[in-house]
Amino acid sequence: MKGSYLGEFEELVLLSVAMLHPEAYGYAISQTIGVQTGRQVSLSAVHSSLHRLEKKGFLASQLAGATTQRGGKRRRFFAMTTAGKSALHEARQVRQRMWNLVPTIVWESN
């Protein structure tokens, strides 16, 4: 595994892969992030992140068979690995720990 740090976009991609399981592929991931965040997400940014996450060992992928519906193109499906699940849990714990340390007065003051 190459580095366990998750960038914010990588975290969104991993969460989307988990949400779409077992039907996570580039376009669906891009659409999910767009719907959930209100951001416009480019497919190339998603593919770059998927490649990086797979290289880190957080995702595994496999090609499905070609279909006439896609003009003979094959679709690549992604799934989280055990390392990916651990990285996502760790990111969540770090965020939660930091949120818990923000004094209440911060939210009450103007």
Side-chain angles (χ1 to χ4, degrees):
M1 180 170 48
K2 189 178 180 186
S4 62
Y5 175 76
L6 280 181
E8 191 247 357
F9 190 70
E10 289 177 333
E11 187 177 346
L12 292 175
V13 170
L14 269 182
L15 282 168
S16 297
V17 169
M19 289 169 61
L20 294 167
H21 180 80
E23 299 288 325
Y25 58 93
Y27 180 75
I29 294 166
S30 167
Q31 293 297 302
T32 297
I33 293 171
V35 167
Q36 295 301 319
T37 66
R39 295 184 195 172
Q40 199 165 17
V41 179
S42 79
L43 194 52
S44 64
V46 170
H47 281 291
S48 292
S49 187
L50 287 168
H51 179 69
R52 206 171 36 252
L53 290 166
E54 194 168 20
K55 203 171 178 182
K56 287 180 174 181
F58 295 160
L59 291 175
S61 70
Q62 71 181 67
L63 282 171
T67 63
T68 54
Q69 185 182 26
R70 300 190 74 235
K73 292 181 182 176
R74 299 169 72 186
R75 187 173 280 166
R76 181 173 291 278
F77 289 97
F78 293 87
M80 274 201 302
T81 63
T82 301
K85 292 173 189 174
S86 293
L88 203 49
H89 279 291
E90 186 179 323
R92 181 180 182 178
Q93 287 173 344
V94 167
R95 286 178 189 259
Q96 190 61 53
R97 199 169 40 244
M98 291 179 74
W99 273 95
N100 291 342
L101 293 173
V102 176
T104 308
I105 193 165
V106 170
W107 307 117
E108 295 171 351
S109 64
N110 218 359

